Amino acid sequence: MTKSDRKIKPSEEIAELRARLEEAEETLDAIRLGHVEALLVDAPTGPRVFTLEGADHRYRRLVETMSEGALLLSPDGLIVYSNAAFANMMASPLETVIGRSLADFVDEGSLPSFRALLAVTPQEAAGEPITLRSGDGRSVSTVVSISPNEDGDRGLSVIVTNLTVQKRNEEIVASERLANSILDQAAEAIVVTDPAGIVIRANRTAQEVSTGQALRQHVLAAFPLVKAAQATTHPALRALRGEIAMSVELPLDVGTGQPIFVLCTAAPLLGDHQEILGCVMSMTDITAHKRAESDRQELLEAERAARSSAERARAEAESSNRTKDEFLATISHELRTPLSSIVGWSRLMSTGTLPPERQRHGLDVIRRNADAQARLVEDLLDVSRITSGKLRLDVKPVPLATVIAAVLDSVRPALDAKKIRLETHIDSEDIAALGDESRIQQVIWNLLSNATKFTPANGRIFVGLRRVASEVEIVVTDSGEGIEAEFLPYVFDRFRQADGGISRLRGGLGLGLAISRHLVELHGGTIVVASDGPGCGSTFTVRLPQAAAKPQVSLLAAPGPRASQGAGPPVELNDLSLVHVLLVEDDADSRDLFVSILHRCGARVTDTDNGQDALKVLEAERPDVLVSDVGMAKMDGYSLIRNVRALADAAAQHIPAIALTAFARVEDRRRALAEGFQMHLAKPIDPAELTRAIAELAKPRAIGRA
């Protein structure tokens, strides 16, 4: 393969030139020693051309193909032999060079130096910088070396070295070294492969990025991809197919456990005839950038999520605030409405001018509105207990048919007033649920009172009870106003009402269904609502766990949501004619009320407005029962009972005590009993319940005294 058939690296070319020079010198020595039979015959027509026909084939080929000019001169300086290199150097055909004097090619300024070279002795060999003039007029800087042959009659041997080519080669070598230095200092990994994809050149950065020794490795093995399936589209392979791949992002698995990311560009290396000699590939490490971009993206996503969450929270907070504002307005309305009737009728009755029948009517109004207020307060307390997780259940088998019958009795007057037709279907009288009887009754009462409230006159309400697998199902269906589809998901939310605001048509706080849902879920059951829309009525379905044991007959007969807060007929008070009660209450009106109730029952009452005075009473007297408020200023009820239980006198120390307080939570009751009270009664208290509790505690002492 000739030089034109392949690309030769500059370093390889210099090495080859040097080898050829050495061989050329050997060839010239062989010529001078007569290894080549050359004939130089004088003739009238001039000297004949010197040929190398008899020369050794190996030397002849070297001389004819060497890059330096090789000449044989006759004694008078005529060129009798020239290789092709000298003819090319002089830009002249070979046949025009033979037979001319070498001096014809010497620049005028170099003629003195040239003539001095011709004057060498047989023992001398000299070289001199000589400027030659080519056939196209160019100046060619050379070094001309002239040596006499062994046979002086046969002329001179001449070697002409082109300094321009030599300088170019030296520049190539220098530029290659510079390029190597620059490549090794480059931050990018630069790789050169052969046509098969084998790495034949890799700078320092490429070596560091590779899995090991990059040289003589296939490019895919030296720089493996994280996903081998992407190998067919690898930029290097594309370049070896003649394509140019620009800025392709690649994840590389270099054996560190973590992939690195590079931006890769590859292009083919083409020969003189556009053949693919390999490819050159550069890789820029963008791992830090990718990770920074990933971190930035994560921060953006987190910020976006936080912003979205904050916006949702703000919207929810604003909605909640609006709902609570509406709820507070509703509370104000619902509490003030019965209070207005209570205050108005009480003041009207205090004038003493009302006839007896109007006084009885006024008392009924006061009692009815007081019960309504009590229910509102109890609902609020239930919400507080539910949200704080402090609502407790007294779980046992509950006879549902009996509970439903009691609730139906309580709502029947309202149904009759609106001429609402009531239909019931009870599968069996012995169906029982496992739960708290009073709380289940509260749920049913809420559903039936809602159905009554929202069903127009001459409407229909259906109540059903049946077993479903291991559960019991209670269904309350009405033909009332129905529920819009948009509001259905919020029916059981606290503080939500479909007609909320001051223009709403119905009363109530909108807590009944929310409380019912929580109570049902506390029992391990479910409650759902269905409605086809406004005017289509509603159906509420409650499912509760079925009780395995047969329930006892329920003693509850309360018409309202809670047993102690009904609106039934007056209950006879207990006879307390033999009982001495110590009453401690800091609120004057409440103290006066309790004293009046106890006096009516025949009890003897000693009352005081603080705990310190109560202790003084106990030092002087021995009452049968202590009834004390808890929330008092000078000494609260808890401190009082602790001091009582610490008295030295045994009779005073063991006096039965009742905590009578507006702190009505379960934990308040537990604390009262733990502190030393025997009973805990929540305000507002039913007079019958108060007298019954006092009678129960005072009975043993009164009997003993009688």
Side-chain angles (χ1 to χ4, degrees), residues 665-700:
R665 299 174 303 174
V666 174
E667 55 267 33
D668 296 322
R669 177 179 180 276
R670 289 177 177 172
R671 182 180 178 185
L673 298 179
E675 293 284 358
F677 288 99
Q678 276 69 41
M679 287 188 180
H680 173 274
L681 300 180
K683 296 177 182 178
I685 188 67
D686 185 285
E689 185 177 1
L690 174 61
T691 59
R692 184 170 58 250
I694 293 174
E696 182 178 343
L697 291 180
K699 184 177 180 180

PDB file of all heavy atoms in Angstrom, residues 665-700:
ATOM      1  N   ARG A 665     -68.198  16.299  81.155  1.00  0.00           N
ATOM      2  CA  ARG A 665     -67.493  15.306  80.343  1.00  0.00           C
ATOM      3  C   ARG A 665     -67.289  14.013  81.129  1.00  0.00           C
ATOM      4  O   ARG A 665     -67.362  14.001  82.364  1.00  0.00           O
ATOM      5  CB  ARG A 665     -66.150  15.855  79.882  1.00  0.00           C
ATOM      6  CG  ARG A 665     -66.251  17.101  79.027  1.00  0.00           C
ATOM      7  CD  ARG A 665     -64.869  17.666  78.738  1.00  0.00           C
ATOM      8  NE  ARG A 665     -64.141  17.952  79.978  1.00  0.00           N
ATOM      9  CZ  ARG A 665     -62.867  18.343  80.013  1.00  0.00           C
ATOM     10  NH1 ARG A 665     -62.189  18.487  78.887  1.00  0.00           N
ATOM     11  NH2 ARG A 665     -62.274  18.585  81.163  1.00  0.00           N
ATOM     12  N   VAL A 666     -66.981  12.946  80.376  1.00  0.00           N
ATOM     13  CA  VAL A 666     -66.733  11.660  81.029  1.00  0.00           C
ATOM     14  C   VAL A 666     -65.549  11.774  81.976  1.00  0.00           C
ATOM     15  O   VAL A 666     -65.568  11.253  83.100  1.00  0.00           O
ATOM     16  CB  VAL A 666     -66.484  10.565  79.967  1.00  0.00           C
ATOM     17  CG1 VAL A 666     -66.074   9.269  80.626  1.00  0.00           C
ATOM     18  CG2 VAL A 666     -67.736  10.355  79.130  1.00  0.00           C
ATOM     19  N   GLU A 667     -64.500  12.476  81.523  1.00  0.00           N
ATOM     20  CA  GLU A 667     -63.328  12.605  82.380  1.00  0.00           C
ATOM     21  C   GLU A 667     -63.616  13.437  83.619  1.00  0.00           C
ATOM     22  O   GLU A 667     -62.984  13.240  84.677  1.00  0.00           O
ATOM     23  CB  GLU A 667     -62.144  13.196  81.598  1.00  0.00           C
ATOM     24  CG  GLU A 667     -62.428  14.517  80.922  1.00  0.00           C
ATOM     25  CD  GLU A 667     -62.884  14.360  79.499  1.00  0.00           C
ATOM     26  OE1 GLU A 667     -63.566  13.357  79.205  1.00  0.00           O
ATOM     27  OE2 GLU A 667     -62.546  15.238  78.675  1.00  0.00           O
ATOM     28  N   ASP A 668     -64.592  14.388  83.495  1.00  0.00           N
ATOM     29  CA  ASP A 668     -64.982  15.159  84.683  1.00  0.00           C
ATOM     30  C   ASP A 668     -65.661  14.254  85.707  1.00  0.00           C
ATOM     31  O   ASP A 668     -65.420  14.369  86.914  1.00  0.00           O
ATOM     32  CB  ASP A 668     -65.922  16.292  84.285  1.00  0.00           C
ATOM     33  CG  ASP A 668     -65.235  17.303  83.371  1.00  0.00           C
ATOM     34  OD1 ASP A 668     -64.049  17.578  83.590  1.00  0.00           O
ATOM     35  OD2 ASP A 668     -65.892  17.797  82.433  1.00  0.00           O
ATOM     36  N   ARG A 669     -66.508  13.362  85.222  1.00  0.00           N
ATOM     37  CA  ARG A 669     -67.179  12.416  86.134  1.00  0.00           C
ATOM     38  C   ARG A 669     -66.155  11.511  86.800  1.00  0.00           C
ATOM     39  O   ARG A 669     -66.216  11.276  88.021  1.00  0.00           O
ATOM     40  CB  ARG A 669     -68.200  11.590  85.350  1.00  0.00           C
ATOM     41  CG  ARG A 669     -68.911  10.539  86.172  1.00  0.00           C
ATOM     42  CD  ARG A 669     -69.937   9.774  85.325  1.00  0.00           C
ATOM     43  NE  ARG A 669     -70.616   8.770  86.112  1.00  0.00           N
ATOM     44  CZ  ARG A 669     -70.137   7.541  86.341  1.00  0.00           C
ATOM     45  NH1 ARG A 669     -68.975   7.192  85.833  1.00  0.00           N
ATOM     46  NH2 ARG A 669     -70.829   6.683  87.066  1.00  0.00           N
ATOM     47  N   ARG A 670     -65.211  11.006  86.010  1.00  0.00           N
ATOM     48  CA  ARG A 670     -64.198  10.122  86.578  1.00  0.00           C
ATOM     49  C   ARG A 670     -63.367  10.835  87.641  1.00  0.00           C
ATOM     50  O   ARG A 670     -63.063  10.268  88.691  1.00  0.00           O
ATOM     51  CB  ARG A 670     -63.301   9.598  85.460  1.00  0.00           C
ATOM     52  CG  ARG A 670     -63.983   8.588  84.554  1.00  0.00           C
ATOM     53  CD  ARG A 670     -63.067   8.160  83.437  1.00  0.00           C
ATOM     54  NE  ARG A 670     -63.692   7.140  82.605  1.00  0.00           N
ATOM     55  CZ  ARG A 670     -63.184   6.693  81.476  1.00  0.00           C
ATOM     56  NH1 ARG A 670     -62.039   7.192  81.027  1.00  0.00           N
ATOM     57  NH2 ARG A 670     -63.797   5.758  80.783  1.00  0.00           N
ATOM     58  N   ARG A 671     -62.996  12.070  87.360  1.00  0.00           N
ATOM     59  CA  ARG A 671     -62.188  12.791  88.335  1.00  0.00           C
ATOM     60  C   ARG A 671     -62.969  13.039  89.624  1.00  0.00           C
ATOM     61  O   ARG A 671     -62.426  12.909  90.726  1.00  0.00           O
ATOM     62  CB  ARG A 671     -61.715  14.124  87.755  1.00  0.00           C
ATOM     63  CG  ARG A 671     -60.822  14.876  88.727  1.00  0.00           C
ATOM     64  CD  ARG A 671     -60.342  16.200  88.201  1.00  0.00           C
ATOM     65  NE  ARG A 671     -59.544  16.881  89.209  1.00  0.00           N
ATOM     66  CZ  ARG A 671     -59.053  18.111  89.080  1.00  0.00           C
ATOM     67  NH1 ARG A 671     -59.292  18.804  87.965  1.00  0.00           N
ATOM     68  NH2 ARG A 671     -58.347  18.647  90.056  1.00  0.00           N
ATOM     69  N   ALA A 672     -64.267  13.404  89.475  1.00  0.00           N
ATOM     70  CA  ALA A 672     -65.088  13.660  90.663  1.00  0.00           C
ATOM     71  C   ALA A 672     -65.147  12.427  91.559  1.00  0.00           C
ATOM     72  O   ALA A 672     -64.991  12.514  92.791  1.00  0.00           O
ATOM     73  CB  ALA A 672     -66.486  14.097  90.243  1.00  0.00           C
ATOM     74  N   LEU A 673     -65.346  11.262  90.946  1.00  0.00           N
ATOM     75  CA  LEU A 673     -65.406  10.024  91.733  1.00  0.00           C
ATOM     76  C   LEU A 673     -64.047   9.692  92.337  1.00  0.00           C
ATOM     77  O   LEU A 673     -63.960   9.208  93.475  1.00  0.00           O
ATOM     78  CB  LEU A 673     -65.900   8.877  90.857  1.00  0.00           C
ATOM     79  CG  LEU A 673     -67.319   9.039  90.272  1.00  0.00           C
ATOM     80  CD1 LEU A 673     -67.672   7.845  89.402  1.00  0.00           C
ATOM     81  CD2 LEU A 673     -68.350   9.221  91.382  1.00  0.00           C
ATOM     82  N   ALA A 674     -62.973   9.954  91.557  1.00  0.00           N
ATOM     83  CA  ALA A 674     -61.629   9.672  92.071  1.00  0.00           C
ATOM     84  C   ALA A 674     -61.264  10.582  93.239  1.00  0.00           C
ATOM     85  O   ALA A 674     -60.536  10.172  94.159  1.00  0.00           O
ATOM     86  CB  ALA A 674     -60.606   9.817  90.945  1.00  0.00           C
ATOM     87  N   GLU A 675     -61.762  11.820  93.212  1.00  0.00           N
ATOM     88  CA  GLU A 675     -61.424  12.761  94.286  1.00  0.00           C
ATOM     89  C   GLU A 675     -62.155  12.436  95.591  1.00  0.00           C
ATOM     90  O   GLU A 675     -61.724  12.851  96.666  1.00  0.00           O
ATOM     91  CB  GLU A 675     -61.770  14.191  93.853  1.00  0.00           C
ATOM     92  CG  GLU A 675     -60.906  14.731  92.717  1.00  0.00           C
ATOM     93  CD  GLU A 675     -59.508  15.140  93.179  1.00  0.00           C
ATOM     94  OE1 GLU A 675     -59.229  15.038  94.388  1.00  0.00           O
ATOM     95  OE2 GLU A 675     -58.708  15.544  92.314  1.00  0.00           O
ATOM     96  N   GLY A 676     -63.287  11.714  95.519  1.00  0.00           N
ATOM     97  CA  GLY A 676     -63.987  11.358  96.757  1.00  0.00           C
ATOM     98  C   GLY A 676     -65.480  11.545  96.729  1.00  0.00           C
ATOM     99  O   GLY A 676     -66.172  11.220  97.717  1.00  0.00           O
ATOM    100  N   PHE A 677     -66.052  12.074  95.625  1.00  0.00           N
ATOM    101  CA  PHE A 677     -67.503  12.181  95.506  1.00  0.00           C
ATOM    102  C   PHE A 677     -68.093  10.804  95.201  1.00  0.00           C
ATOM    103  O   PHE A 677     -67.461   9.978  94.521  1.00  0.00           O
ATOM    104  CB  PHE A 677     -67.888  13.159  94.396  1.00  0.00           C
ATOM    105  CG  PHE A 677     -67.628  14.602  94.719  1.00  0.00           C
ATOM    106  CD1 PHE A 677     -66.488  15.245  94.260  1.00  0.00           C
ATOM    107  CD2 PHE A 677     -68.529  15.315  95.495  1.00  0.00           C
ATOM    108  CE1 PHE A 677     -66.252  16.574  94.563  1.00  0.00           C
ATOM    109  CE2 PHE A 677     -68.310  16.655  95.803  1.00  0.00           C
ATOM    110  CZ  PHE A 677     -67.153  17.290  95.335  1.00  0.00           C
ATOM    111  N   GLN A 678     -69.323  10.568  95.692  1.00  0.00           N
ATOM    112  CA  GLN A 678     -70.001   9.303  95.387  1.00  0.00           C
ATOM    113  C   GLN A 678     -70.799   9.386  94.082  1.00  0.00           C
ATOM    114  O   GLN A 678     -71.029   8.368  93.434  1.00  0.00           O
ATOM    115  CB  GLN A 678     -70.948   8.918  96.538  1.00  0.00           C
ATOM    116  CG  GLN A 678     -70.284   8.176  97.683  1.00  0.00           C
ATOM    117  CD  GLN A 678     -69.330   9.065  98.459  1.00  0.00           C
ATOM    118  OE1 GLN A 678     -69.635  10.224  98.716  1.00  0.00           O
ATOM    119  NE2 GLN A 678     -68.179   8.526  98.826  1.00  0.00           N
ATOM    120  N   MET A 679     -71.236  10.588  93.714  1.00  0.00           N
ATOM    121  CA  MET A 679     -72.031  10.761  92.501  1.00  0.00           C
ATOM    122  C   MET A 679     -71.602  12.036  91.779  1.00  0.00           C
ATOM    123  O   MET A 679     -71.068  12.961  92.408  1.00  0.00           O
ATOM    124  CB  MET A 679     -73.533  10.838  92.822  1.00  0.00           C
ATOM    125  CG  MET A 679     -74.162   9.530  93.229  1.00  0.00           C
ATOM    126  SD  MET A 679     -75.973   9.691  93.343  1.00  0.00           S
ATOM    127  CE  MET A 679     -76.403   8.025  93.830  1.00  0.00           C
ATOM    128  N   HIS A 680     -71.876  12.038  90.459  1.00  0.00           N
ATOM    129  CA  HIS A 680     -71.594  13.209  89.627  1.00  0.00           C
ATOM    130  C   HIS A 680     -72.849  13.509  88.820  1.00  0.00           C
ATOM    131  O   HIS A 680     -73.315  12.684  88.025  1.00  0.00           O
ATOM    132  CB  HIS A 680     -70.409  12.915  88.692  1.00  0.00           C
ATOM    133  CG  HIS A 680     -70.139  14.002  87.684  1.00  0.00           C
ATOM    134  ND1 HIS A 680     -70.795  14.064  86.473  1.00  0.00           N
ATOM    135  CD2 HIS A 680     -69.289  15.064  87.714  1.00  0.00           C
ATOM    136  CE1 HIS A 680     -70.360  15.111  85.796  1.00  0.00           C
ATOM    137  NE2 HIS A 680     -69.440  15.736  86.527  1.00  0.00           N
ATOM    138  N   LEU A 681     -73.458  14.689  89.053  1.00  0.00           N
ATOM    139  CA  LEU A 681     -74.656  15.103  88.326  1.00  0.00           C
ATOM    140  C   LEU A 681     -74.337  16.344  87.511  1.00  0.00           C
ATOM    141  O   LEU A 681     -73.774  17.315  88.036  1.00  0.00           O
ATOM    142  CB  LEU A 681     -75.799  15.403  89.301  1.00  0.00           C
ATOM    143  CG  LEU A 681     -76.254  14.241  90.192  1.00  0.00           C
ATOM    144  CD1 LEU A 681     -77.387  14.705  91.097  1.00  0.00           C
ATOM    145  CD2 LEU A 681     -76.677  13.045  89.361  1.00  0.00           C
ATOM    146  N   ALA A 682     -74.684  16.286  86.200  1.00  0.00           N
ATOM    147  CA  ALA A 682     -74.358  17.390  85.297  1.00  0.00           C
ATOM    148  C   ALA A 682     -75.511  18.383  85.227  1.00  0.00           C
ATOM    149  O   ALA A 682     -76.684  17.996  85.176  1.00  0.00           O
ATOM    150  CB  ALA A 682     -74.043  16.853  83.906  1.00  0.00           C
ATOM    151  N   LYS A 683     -75.183  19.650  85.266  1.00  0.00           N
ATOM    152  CA  LYS A 683     -76.159  20.716  85.073  1.00  0.00           C
ATOM    153  C   LYS A 683     -76.479  20.842  83.583  1.00  0.00           C
ATOM    154  O   LYS A 683     -75.592  20.615  82.750  1.00  0.00           O
ATOM    155  CB  LYS A 683     -75.605  22.049  85.581  1.00  0.00           C
ATOM    156  CG  LYS A 683     -75.325  22.095  87.065  1.00  0.00           C
ATOM    157  CD  LYS A 683     -74.715  23.442  87.428  1.00  0.00           C
ATOM    158  CE  LYS A 683     -74.369  23.528  88.905  1.00  0.00           C
ATOM    159  NZ  LYS A 683     -73.742  24.823  89.261  1.00  0.00           N
ATOM    160  N   PRO A 684     -77.685  21.252  83.189  1.00  0.00           N
ATOM    161  CA  PRO A 684     -78.843  21.487  84.073  1.00  0.00           C
ATOM    162  C   PRO A 684     -79.405  20.169  84.580  1.00  0.00           C
ATOM    163  O   PRO A 684     -79.473  19.189  83.828  1.00  0.00           O
ATOM    164  CB  PRO A 684     -79.826  22.216  83.161  1.00  0.00           C
ATOM    165  CG  PRO A 684     -79.493  21.719  81.788  1.00  0.00           C
ATOM    166  CD  PRO A 684     -78.007  21.501  81.779  1.00  0.00           C
ATOM    167  N   ILE A 685     -79.789  20.131  85.832  1.00  0.00           N
ATOM    168  CA  ILE A 685     -80.194  18.890  86.468  1.00  0.00           C
ATOM    169  C   ILE A 685     -81.701  18.840  86.592  1.00  0.00           C
ATOM    170  O   ILE A 685     -82.369  19.861  86.844  1.00  0.00           O
ATOM    171  CB  ILE A 685     -79.530  18.762  87.865  1.00  0.00           C
ATOM    172  CG1 ILE A 685     -79.788  17.372  88.457  1.00  0.00           C
ATOM    173  CG2 ILE A 685     -80.017  19.856  88.779  1.00  0.00           C
ATOM    174  CD1 ILE A 685     -79.099  16.282  87.697  1.00  0.00           C
ATOM    175  N   ASP A 686     -82.248  17.671  86.376  1.00  0.00           N
ATOM    176  CA  ASP A 686     -83.676  17.458  86.593  1.00  0.00           C
ATOM    177  C   ASP A 686     -83.920  17.377  88.097  1.00  0.00           C
ATOM    178  O   ASP A 686     -83.219  16.641  88.802  1.00  0.00           O
ATOM    179  CB  ASP A 686     -84.095  16.160  85.899  1.00  0.00           C
ATOM    180  CG  ASP A 686     -85.592  15.930  85.978  1.00  0.00           C
ATOM    181  OD1 ASP A 686     -86.077  15.565  87.060  1.00  0.00           O
ATOM    182  OD2 ASP A 686     -86.251  16.123  84.937  1.00  0.00           O
ATOM    183  N   PRO A 687     -84.891  18.124  88.641  1.00  0.00           N
ATOM    184  CA  PRO A 687     -85.150  18.088  90.090  1.00  0.00           C
ATOM    185  C   PRO A 687     -85.379  16.670  90.606  1.00  0.00           C
ATOM    186  O   PRO A 687     -84.912  16.320  91.694  1.00  0.00           O
ATOM    187  CB  PRO A 687     -86.401  18.952  90.245  1.00  0.00           C
ATOM    188  CG  PRO A 687     -86.345  19.901  89.089  1.00  0.00           C
ATOM    189  CD  PRO A 687     -85.761  19.119  87.964  1.00  0.00           C
ATOM    190  N   ALA A 688     -86.104  15.843  89.840  1.00  0.00           N
ATOM    191  CA  ALA A 688     -86.366  14.471  90.282  1.00  0.00           C
ATOM    192  C   ALA A 688     -85.075  13.681  90.393  1.00  0.00           C
ATOM    193  O   ALA A 688     -84.886  12.874  91.317  1.00  0.00           O
ATOM    194  CB  ALA A 688     -87.336  13.797  89.321  1.00  0.00           C
ATOM    195  N   GLU A 689     -84.164  13.888  89.435  1.00  0.00           N
ATOM    196  CA  GLU A 689     -82.893  13.168  89.469  1.00  0.00           C
ATOM    197  C   GLU A 689     -82.073  13.594  90.677  1.00  0.00           C
ATOM    198  O   GLU A 689     -81.439  12.771  91.342  1.00  0.00           O
ATOM    199  CB  GLU A 689     -82.116  13.424  88.169  1.00  0.00           C
ATOM    200  CG  GLU A 689     -80.837  12.625  88.068  1.00  0.00           C
ATOM    201  CD  GLU A 689     -80.123  12.843  86.744  1.00  0.00           C
ATOM    202  OE1 GLU A 689     -80.630  13.638  85.922  1.00  0.00           O
ATOM    203  OE2 GLU A 689     -79.073  12.223  86.529  1.00  0.00           O
ATOM    204  N   LEU A 690     -82.095  14.905  90.993  1.00  0.00           N
ATOM    205  CA  LEU A 690     -81.342  15.396  92.142  1.00  0.00           C
ATOM    206  C   LEU A 690     -81.893  14.806  93.439  1.00  0.00           C
ATOM    207  O   LEU A 690     -81.128  14.310  94.286  1.00  0.00           O
ATOM    208  CB  LEU A 690     -81.407  16.924  92.183  1.00  0.00           C
ATOM    209  CG  LEU A 690     -80.783  17.592  93.412  1.00  0.00           C
ATOM    210  CD1 LEU A 690     -79.302  17.276  93.501  1.00  0.00           C
ATOM    211  CD2 LEU A 690     -81.014  19.097  93.369  1.00  0.00           C
ATOM    212  N   THR A 691     -83.220  14.847  93.617  1.00  0.00           N
ATOM    213  CA  THR A 691     -83.804  14.342  94.857  1.00  0.00           C
ATOM    214  C   THR A 691     -83.650  12.833  94.977  1.00  0.00           C
ATOM    215  O   THR A 691     -83.465  12.299  96.072  1.00  0.00           O
ATOM    216  CB  THR A 691     -85.285  14.720  94.928  1.00  0.00           C
ATOM    217  OG1 THR A 691     -85.992  14.184  93.802  1.00  0.00           O
ATOM    218  CG2 THR A 691     -85.442  16.234  94.967  1.00  0.00           C
ATOM    219  N   ARG A 692     -83.701  12.133  93.820  1.00  0.00           N
ATOM    220  CA  ARG A 692     -83.515  10.680  93.853  1.00  0.00           C
ATOM    221  C   ARG A 692     -82.094  10.328  94.295  1.00  0.00           C
ATOM    222  O   ARG A 692     -81.880   9.401  95.086  1.00  0.00           O
ATOM    223  CB  ARG A 692     -83.817  10.085  92.479  1.00  0.00           C
ATOM    224  CG  ARG A 692     -83.739   8.556  92.460  1.00  0.00           C
ATOM    225  CD  ARG A 692     -84.279   7.975  91.153  1.00  0.00           C
ATOM    226  NE  ARG A 692     -83.594   8.477  89.978  1.00  0.00           N
ATOM    227  CZ  ARG A 692     -84.126   9.305  89.092  1.00  0.00           C
ATOM    228  NH1 ARG A 692     -85.375   9.745  89.274  1.00  0.00           N
ATOM    229  NH2 ARG A 692     -83.454   9.711  88.041  1.00  0.00           N
ATOM    230  N   ALA A 693     -81.092  11.074  93.791  1.00  0.00           N
ATOM    231  CA  ALA A 693     -79.700  10.813  94.165  1.00  0.00           C
ATOM    232  C   ALA A 693     -79.475  11.091  95.656  1.00  0.00           C
ATOM    233  O   ALA A 693     -78.797  10.314  96.353  1.00  0.00           O
ATOM    234  CB  ALA A 693     -78.773  11.674  93.318  1.00  0.00           C
ATOM    235  N   ILE A 694     -80.037  12.210  96.153  1.00  0.00           N
ATOM    236  CA  ILE A 694     -79.866  12.536  97.576  1.00  0.00           C
ATOM    237  C   ILE A 694     -80.539  11.478  98.445  1.00  0.00           C
ATOM    238  O   ILE A 694     -79.974  11.027  99.462  1.00  0.00           O
ATOM    239  CB  ILE A 694     -80.456  13.931  97.866  1.00  0.00           C
ATOM    240  CG1 ILE A 694     -79.622  15.005  97.151  1.00  0.00           C
ATOM    241  CG2 ILE A 694     -80.498  14.205  99.365  1.00  0.00           C
ATOM    242  CD1 ILE A 694     -80.203  16.406  97.243  1.00  0.00           C
ATOM    243  N   ALA A 695     -81.719  11.044  98.036  1.00  0.00           N
ATOM    244  CA  ALA A 695     -82.432  10.025  98.811  1.00  0.00           C
ATOM    245  C   ALA A 695     -81.642   8.727  98.859  1.00  0.00           C
ATOM    246  O   ALA A 695     -81.562   8.057  99.902  1.00  0.00           O
ATOM    247  CB  ALA A 695     -83.818   9.787  98.200  1.00  0.00           C
ATOM    248  N   GLU A 696     -81.024   8.363  97.727  1.00  0.00           N
ATOM    249  CA  GLU A 696     -80.268   7.114  97.677  1.00  0.00           C
ATOM    250  C   GLU A 696     -79.069   7.160  98.610  1.00  0.00           C
ATOM    251  O   GLU A 696     -78.765   6.190  99.314  1.00  0.00           O
ATOM    252  CB  GLU A 696     -79.822   6.836  96.238  1.00  0.00           C
ATOM    253  CG  GLU A 696     -79.067   5.528  96.074  1.00  0.00           C
ATOM    254  CD  GLU A 696     -78.683   5.269  94.624  1.00  0.00           C
ATOM    255  OE1 GLU A 696     -79.266   5.920  93.724  1.00  0.00           O
ATOM    256  OE2 GLU A 696     -77.794   4.433  94.404  1.00  0.00           O
ATOM    257  N   LEU A 697     -78.374   8.298  98.651  1.00  0.00           N
ATOM    258  CA  LEU A 697     -77.179   8.396  99.491  1.00  0.00           C
ATOM    259  C   LEU A 697     -77.536   8.607 100.967  1.00  0.00           C
ATOM    260  O   LEU A 697     -76.819   8.133 101.869  1.00  0.00           O
ATOM    261  CB  LEU A 697     -76.295   9.548  99.011  1.00  0.00           C
ATOM    262  CG  LEU A 697     -75.615   9.367  97.661  1.00  0.00           C
ATOM    263  CD1 LEU A 697     -74.776  10.598  97.312  1.00  0.00           C
ATOM    264  CD2 LEU A 697     -74.727   8.121  97.653  1.00  0.00           C
ATOM    265  N   ALA A 698     -78.616   9.313 101.234  1.00  0.00           N
ATOM    266  CA  ALA A 698     -78.956   9.653 102.619  1.00  0.00           C
ATOM    267  C   ALA A 698     -79.774   8.578 103.308  1.00  0.00           C
ATOM    268  O   ALA A 698     -79.906   8.591 104.541  1.00  0.00           O
ATOM    269  CB  ALA A 698     -79.735  10.967 102.645  1.00  0.00           C
ATOM    270  N   LYS A 699     -80.331   7.640 102.554  1.00  0.00           N
ATOM    271  CA  LYS A 699     -81.242   6.659 103.126  1.00  0.00           C
ATOM    272  C   LYS A 699     -80.645   5.881 104.288  1.00  0.00           C
ATOM    273  O   LYS A 699     -81.277   5.785 105.356  1.00  0.00           O
ATOM    274  CB  LYS A 699     -81.724   5.710 102.025  1.00  0.00           C
ATOM    275  CG  LYS A 699     -82.769   4.708 102.500  1.00  0.00           C
ATOM    276  CD  LYS A 699     -83.241   3.859 101.331  1.00  0.00           C
ATOM    277  CE  LYS A 699     -84.294   2.852 101.803  1.00  0.00           C
ATOM    278  NZ  LYS A 699     -84.786   2.010 100.688  1.00  0.00           N
ATOM    279  N   PRO A 700     -79.454   5.318 104.174  1.00  0.00           N
ATOM    280  CA  PRO A 700     -78.923   4.553 105.316  1.00  0.00           C
ATOM    281  C   PRO A 700     -78.778   5.407 106.571  1.00  0.00           C
ATOM    282  O   PRO A 700     -79.083   4.959 107.682  1.00  0.00           O
ATOM    283  CB  PRO A 700     -77.569   4.069 104.806  1.00  0.00           C
ATOM    284  CG  PRO A 700     -77.715   4.064 103.318  1.00  0.00           C
ATOM    285  CD  PRO A 700     -78.591   5.251 103.024  1.00  0.00           C
TER     286      PRO A 700
END
